[in-house]
Amino acid sequence: MRTSIESFIGRTASLTVIAAGLNFTSSQSHAVVAADHFEKVVKPFFAQHCVSCHGEKKHKGDLRVDTLSTSFSTGIEVSRWTEIMDRINSGDMPPKEEPKPDAKDIDRVVEWIAAQLHEAEAAQHAKGSEKVVFRRLTREEYAHTIRDLLGVTYEVKGPQGLPEEPDWQGFERIGSVLSISPTHVEKYLQAASVVLDEAMVSGERPVSETVRWDPFDLRPKWGDRLRKAHTKWGDVDKVRVDIQPGNTSLSNIAGTLDLLIKRAGIYNVRIKLSGLRPKGGPAPRFQVYLADLDRVLLETDVDTAEDQPIILEFKAHLPAGAHRVGFNNMIPGAAMSPRISGDHMTFAFTGFDKRPPWQLKLTDDHYQAVVPMLLMDYVEWEGPVYETWPTVAYQRIFYGNENTAKDMNYARGILQKFMERAYRRPVQGNEVELIAKVVEKELKRGEAFENAVKLGLMSVLCSKDFLYLVEGSTANTATRLNDWELASRLSYFLWSTMPDDKLFDLARAGKLSQPDVLKAEAQRMLKDPKAKHFSDSFARQWLQLRNVGMFPPDKGLYPKYTDYLEKCMVNETTGFFQEVLQKNLSIRDFLKSDWTMLNDRLADHYGIKDVKGQEFRPVVLKPETQRGGLLTQAAILSQTSDGQRTRPVHRGKWVMETILGKTPPPPPANVGEIEAASANQPKRSLREKLEAHRNDAACAGCHQKIDPYGLTFENFDAVGAWRTVERINDGKGVSPTIDASGELPDGRKFSGPEQLKQLMAQDLDQFAIVFTQKLATYATRRSMTFSDRAELAQIAAKEKADGYKLQDMVESLILSDLFRKR
């Protein structure tokens, strides 16, 4: 790294890059280094520009900067410093009649304050209670844990699920952020009842029922009229239902069909249909959607001939109740005929050779479809289906056999087994007896044994020991995790769910904390299919992929942008991370690579030919594609745009925070907007407008650091497609050609995104430390502080010789003291 240690410390706002070869030891506290910088930089600034109005003799606004504490440990101190930073940054201090400080001095002071504020925030998020730390499960982890504990699926998303998690710098697992609200309490009680109802189903094996919807059922508004007409004409067996682009649902007037599920469980779904692809166009994309749960059951391209329909078969978990089902053609476009008029109310589709006038325009003269369209024959819902009876979930709870006495001894045994798995540790003291009293009370009231046990299990599922990862105890002041706590930290890190039997057995034997055993378990778990949860969850949180689609692209500017394309963008990024992990590739590929993960839809968006099929796979890139690495993936580029135009400042800020680990200071409170050109002025590029904006000394310092990382990606539009000319609406004349060159704060120059990625890849050591910090934040569920930096640098340094391979870095973190301490 090319900056001095003083500059490095002054610009740090979170875990930042530590130069290769610098050895920070834990004895060098943040307070000492920060105080040194305060004495050399901030204090002289205050003495020259602030003390005359805010010192011993005079303290306007009841503020004295000469006695202000630099510990940043209380809310009052943080509030004071925040006010000072904002007023210096905005130009309010010093007042206009006083000499104006040099812009560079202002920049250094503001950066120092911002760094201390950020460090204080991180420390607040990182700390827990002195003896016991509670970190709540996320809703994603809750669903996975319920599945592995009971063998039951619970839908946590959608209107009936759990509240969405707040995030801190993209991470949704930070213990100090994940509180429990009254809404959570209500939802957890409801969820516990629902999952136990499904898990504890008993009695005679339910008979599986099949609900079949034929083409007339799929058009409920006109179904009876159509059935009578086509029965009369003798072609009722040829009737099919067409779904055109722009006519997205087979529906009643509400846009959906009503499906009544009497018993929650797994259902087999079968759908017979054809999907007609127009010449040179895309195949229709078929989607089955539960509107009431906001859940997609199936989404796939269908490409078959009209007379060669296929049967799509899949399994879906369906909760009990009435559901609103939509069948959609996800290809955008205007319908060939409005559904509100025409003789389609009398004439259904029976084939291209026998068509009423409104159907003629569906094909050309050779009976070839002119738009991607679907033809549906029927839908079947069969279930619930059970592989075993009693169910696996039932057998997990009620061990023994039909001769086992259903008494309190049996109830205590059930609770003992269930609580150890639910709490992810041995039960202690009278924990079982406290819940057993609930069961016993219900039995004395005459409640059936299973119902009484259910109430006890509900108490377990709503307890803090299930809903939280609990580390430490009031009776033990040890700073390292015990084997049971280590098992949970490891499983929720790599699998987002509870430990399996192997981890429990090792914890019970006290062997998991042995380094060779812990390493072997990490390797085993990374090979397990559940490790995909890590690839998906960590990538989404680190790279803030929840922001993709936050600003829906303008359909007039980007007509080919669809929900499916948006999903493909995210899948490229999460799939890219998984590929690097599973093949143990270097994290250098995150910065610069000659490959990416593509399917046909995303390849078409990128203008890359010869990629066929819906499945994502590694594709080697040619240099002219201008892709490779994370920074030129559409999911990254689109989330840093506003749906209409690119936002290079936001892109630059994202790169600094997410990749470089540097948080730039906040903008001045009174910062002006970028001015648009008048109708009589020549069109100006966003780069030119930003250069004018940077003429303001209060803005220049930050923009010199941020803008190079954003402007170089101006060749990618708001949805991540390549362009060479910037589309400008204001002003006159031709739109300008994009200039993607830049200069880094350390003086290194580049001509475009490829050269910038190359420069960033040269700084792999510093990226490795930042990436380790992100990984550790996710794994330990807390933010990293200054005191963690030396250990983070050591963890990263262990993998330098082998080129920072991702699996090896994960293993190195797991074996570190940082991972194994509370």
Side-chain angles (χ1 to χ4, degrees):
M1 195 171 168
R2 300 166 187 255
T3 56
S4 65
I5 295 178
E6 289 82 6
S7 177
F8 157 68
I9 296 298
R11 294 175 184 178
T12 298
S14 61
L15 172 72
T16 43
V17 175
I18 299 177
L22 289 178
N23 292 317
F24 283 100
T25 65
S26 58
S27 62
Q28 288 178 289
S29 72
H30 176 224
V32 172
V33 180
D36 180 66
H37 196 77
F38 175 81
E39 291 292 331
K40 293 180 178 178
V41 176
V42 183
K43 191 173 181 179
F45 181 93
F46 283 175
Q48 182 177 356
H49 300 289
C50 306
V51 170
S52 60
C53 293
H54 301 281
E56 181 180 4
K57 296 181 180 180
K58 189 178 182 181
H59 35 276
K60 288 184 178 180
D62 198 27
L63 172 62
R64 288 186 61 176
V65 298
D66 59 327
T67 59
L68 190 61
S69 171
T70 58
S71 69
F72 289 78
S73 59
T74 70
I76 294 176
E77 291 167 358
V78 168
S79 177
R80 287 287 193 183
W81 280 107
T82 301
E83 179 187 3
I84 291 170
M85 180 184 69
D86 290 342
R87 296 187 67 182
I88 292 175
N89 210 14
S90 65
D92 290 343
M93 291 177 56
K96 293 180 179 180
E97 60 270 17
E98 299 293 331
K100 185 75 171 175
D102 185 270
K104 291 183 179 179
D105 291 337
I106 292 176
D107 188 35
R108 295 174 71 191
V109 171
V110 168
E111 285 193 348
W112 181 88
I113 299 174
Q116 310 321 305
L117 291 171
H118 196 83
E119 188 70 33
E121 180 191 22
Q124 179 64 31
H125 286 308
K127 73 177 184 180
S129 62
E130 293 183 359
K131 293 183 178 181
V132 187
V133 176
F134 297 91
R135 295 187 172 101
R136 179 170 65 79
L137 300 182
T138 66
R139 65 178 185 173
E140 174 190 66
E141 292 168 332
Y142 179 91
H144 295 325
T145 303
I146 288 292
R147 178 203 62 206
D148 291 341
L149 178 65
L150 290 169
V152 171
T153 299
Y154 182 70
E155 302 298 336
V156 294
K157 297 181 180 179
Q160 304 302 318
L162 299 176
E164 187 175 11
E165 310 296 0
D167 73 289
W168 180 76
Q169 296 187 355
F171 290 102
E172 302 166 12
R173 306 162 37 108
I174 305 302
S176 60
V177 173
L178 297 183
S179 59
I180 284 188
S181 66
T183 300
H184 280 96
V185 175
E186 179 183 346
K187 293 286 189 179
Y188 284 136
L189 284 168
Q190 176 184 332
S193 179
V194 168
V195 299
L196 288 171
D197 278 346
E198 185 170 343
M200 297 173 67
V201 59
S202 60
E204 295 295 323
R205 185 172 190 149
V207 177
S208 181
E209 298 180 355
T210 299
V211 174
R212 180 185 174 96
W213 291 343
D214 65 17
F216 304 103
D217 298 318
L218 292 169
R219 288 280 189 228
K221 189 174 181 180
W222 306 295
D224 290 342
R225 182 188 302 181
L226 290 171
R227 193 187 301 273
K228 290 177 181 178
H230 286 275
T231 299
K232 178 181 177 181
W233 298 329
D235 59 356
V236 69
D237 59 328
K238 296 181 180 180
V239 170
R240 309 181 77 181
V241 176
D242 61 292
I243 316 180
Q244 306 166 31
N247 183 53
T248 54
S249 287
L250 299 178
S251 61
N252 54 27
I253 198 165
T256 52
L257 294 160
D258 297 324
L259 174 67
L260 178 62
I261 297 297
K262 298 178 182 178
R263 188 186 294 269
I266 301 298
Y267 284 73
N268 292 323
V269 186
R270 290 179 290 273
I271 304 174
K272 184 177 180 181
L273 77 171
S274 297
L276 281 59
R277 180 198 293 263
K279 185 176 181 180
R285 186 158 186 86
F286 180 58
Q287 182 193 77
V288 183
Y289 177 67
L290 287 188
D292 56 298
L293 298 179
D294 190 23
R295 177 155 63 98
V296 174
L297 298 184
L298 175 74
E299 186 170 326
T300 183
D301 288 350
V302 181
D303 189 1
T304 64
E306 176 197 359
D307 58 352
Q308 296 177 357
I310 61 172
I311 297 177
L312 297 176
E313 294 189 66
F314 60 95
K315 295 182 182 296
H317 177 269
L318 299 175
H323 301 293
R324 293 180 287 115
V325 186
F327 299 98
N328 306 322
N329 184 345
M330 300 303 290
I331 299 296
M336 299 299 290
S337 62
R339 288 300 181 199
I340 59 173
S341 63
D343 54 4
H344 61 280
M345 292 183 289
T346 305
F347 295 94
F349 184 93
T350 57
F352 287 140
D353 57 338
K354 297 178 180 179
R355 294 174 292 167
W358 72 269
Q359 294 177 2
L360 290 175
K361 50 189 173 182
L362 296 177
T363 71
D364 59 20
D365 293 339
H366 302 286
Y367 298 125
Q368 298 298 310
V370 296
V371 293
M373 63 180 296
L374 296 159
L375 299 172
M376 288 184 64
D377 297 285
Y378 65 77
V379 180
E380 289 181 346
W381 310 85
E382 178 194 6
V385 292
Y386 300 101
E387 295 181 2
T388 62
W389 190 262
T391 64
V392 173
Y394 185 91
Q395 294 178 57
R396 285 180 180 177
I397 297 171
F398 296 100
Y399 64 91
N401 54 53
E402 59 185 12
N403 296 320
T404 303
K406 294 184 176 181
D407 54 20
M408 281 308 301
N409 286 333
Y410 183 37
R412 289 185 179 90
I414 290 172
L415 293 172
Q416 177 89 23
K417 289 184 61 177
F418 187 82
M419 290 170 70
E420 181 169 304
R421 286 177 54 79
Y423 292 172
R424 304 171 286 274
R425 59 163 174 78
V427 290
Q428 303 164 354
N430 66 342
E431 286 181 322
V432 172
E433 196 57 35
L434 287 173
I435 303 296
K437 288 180 179 179
V438 175
V439 177
E440 189 173 25
K441 184 177 180 180
E442 290 300 302
L443 289 174
K444 288 180 178 179
R445 292 174 55 186
E447 192 63 71
F449 182 80
E450 289 183 351
N451 290 340
V453 169
K454 176 189 173 184
L455 193 61
L457 300 185
M458 281 185 64
S459 301
V460 174
L461 293 182
C462 293
S463 71
K464 65 176 179 14
D465 294 274
F466 174 71
L467 297 173
Y468 285 85
L469 296 179
V470 183
E471 297 174 352
S473 70
T474 55
N476 189 347
T477 58
T479 58
R480 291 173 71 92
L481 302 175
N482 64 37
D483 280 57
W484 293 93
E485 294 163 350
L486 184 58
S488 286
R489 179 170 287 188
L490 185 61
S491 65
Y492 282 98
F493 175 34
L494 297 182
W495 286 349
S496 296
T497 189
M498 62 184 289
D500 64 358
D501 290 340
K502 179 73 179 297
L503 284 171
F504 278 144
D505 290 343
L506 290 171
R508 188 175 293 106
K511 294 181 178 179
L512 185 59
S513 56
Q514 298 173 8
D516 56 335
V517 175
L518 186 57
K519 182 176 182 179
E521 282 303 286
Q523 292 173 343
R524 174 182 75 89
M525 295 173 72
L526 285 170
K527 293 176 183 177
D528 191 281
K530 284 188 286 189
K532 189 177 185 303
H533 295 316
F534 167 62
S535 297
D536 185 75
S537 181
F538 174 72
R540 285 175 181 270
Q541 294 182 47
W542 167 40
L543 301 172
Q544 302 175 45
L545 299 182
R546 70 188 291 178
N547 294 331
V548 177
M550 178 179 291
F551 300 104
D554 186 305
K555 292 187 180 299
L557 297 175
Y558 307 102
K560 293 185 178 181
Y561 189 94
T562 63
D563 289 344
Y564 176 47
L565 176 59
E566 186 174 291
K567 292 175 184 175
C568 290
M569 292 175 175
V570 174
N571 288 343
E572 175 192 20
T573 303
T574 57
F576 187 85
F577 183 91
Q578 184 177 19
E579 187 76 4
V580 174
L581 177 70
Q582 293 302 316
K583 292 187 176 178
N584 200 18
L585 303 178
S586 170
I587 63 170
R588 183 183 187 278
D589 282 13
F590 293 145
L591 302 177
K592 181 176 174 59
S593 70
D594 62 356
W595 65 278
T596 192
M597 302 292 290
L598 294 177
N599 70 349
D600 53 0
R601 181 64 188 91
L602 191 59
D604 178 69
H605 182 63
Y606 288 166
I608 297 174
K609 300 183 181 299
D610 301 323
V611 178
K612 306 296 183 183
Q614 303 173 62
E615 298 301 318
F616 277 82
R617 83 300 304 260
V619 174
V620 176
L621 300 170
K622 297 179 181 179
E624 59 267 26
T625 62
Q626 304 291 333
R627 304 285 171 175
L630 294 170
L631 301 181
T632 47
Q633 291 180 2
I636 307 303
L637 296 162
S638 65
Q639 69 166 290
T640 51
S641 303
D642 66 4
Q644 293 187 336
R645 63 178 188 177
T646 61
R647 298 190 297 175
V649 176
H650 289 262
R651 284 180 174 176
K653 182 175 181 289
W654 186 95
V655 172
M656 289 188 69
E657 292 180 335
T658 308
I659 304 300
L660 304 180
K662 299 178 179 179
T663 301
N670 60 350
V671 63
E673 295 288 333
I674 296 175
E675 294 185 6
S678 67
N680 296 322
Q681 291 178 319
K683 293 180 182 290
R684 292 191 302 162
S685 68
L686 197 50
R687 173 184 286 269
E688 291 174 313
K689 295 174 184 177
L690 279 172
E691 286 176 352
H693 183 69
R694 285 197 298 268
N695 288 334
D696 186 336
C699 303
C702 289
H703 280 282
Q704 287 174 355
K705 301 178 183 69
I706 299 172
D707 292 357
Y709 296 108
L711 287 170
T712 193
F713 297 108
E714 276 294 276
N715 280 119
F716 301 95
D717 66 17
V719 295
W722 180 260
R723 63 181 184 174
T724 56
V725 174
E726 182 179 349
R727 179 164 45 192
I728 306 293
N729 295 324
D730 51 292
K732 65 178 182 179
V734 298
S735 293
T737 301
I738 290 170
D739 175 9
S741 63
E743 180 178 344
L744 296 180
D746 61 16
R748 289 179 292 174
K749 297 181 179 181
F750 54 89
S751 62
E754 287 304 308
Q755 283 194 13
L756 174 62
K757 289 190 289 184
Q758 185 64 47
L759 292 177
M760 295 175 71
Q762 291 174 7
D763 296 332
L764 190 59
D765 292 343
Q766 67 183 43
F767 173 62
I769 297 172
V770 175
F771 179 76
T772 303
Q773 178 250 338
K774 302 293 184 181
L775 205 60
T777 298
Y778 179 88
T780 63
R781 312 171 81 91
R782 68 172 179 85
S783 59
M784 298 292 104
T785 63
F786 192 86
S787 61
D788 297 314
R789 293 176 183 175
E791 194 163 5
L792 289 165
Q794 291 170 5
I795 294 168
K798 289 180 181 179
E799 306 307 326
K800 179 177 180 178
D802 287 334
Y804 300 113
K805 294 179 180 178
L806 180 53
Q807 267 196 35
D808 296 345
M809 294 188 72
V810 172
E811 291 176 18
S812 182
L813 172 63
I814 290 170
L815 293 172
S816 70
D817 288 337
L818 180 64
F819 182 82
R820 298 170 65 181
K821 67 185 180 184
R822 291 202 289 118

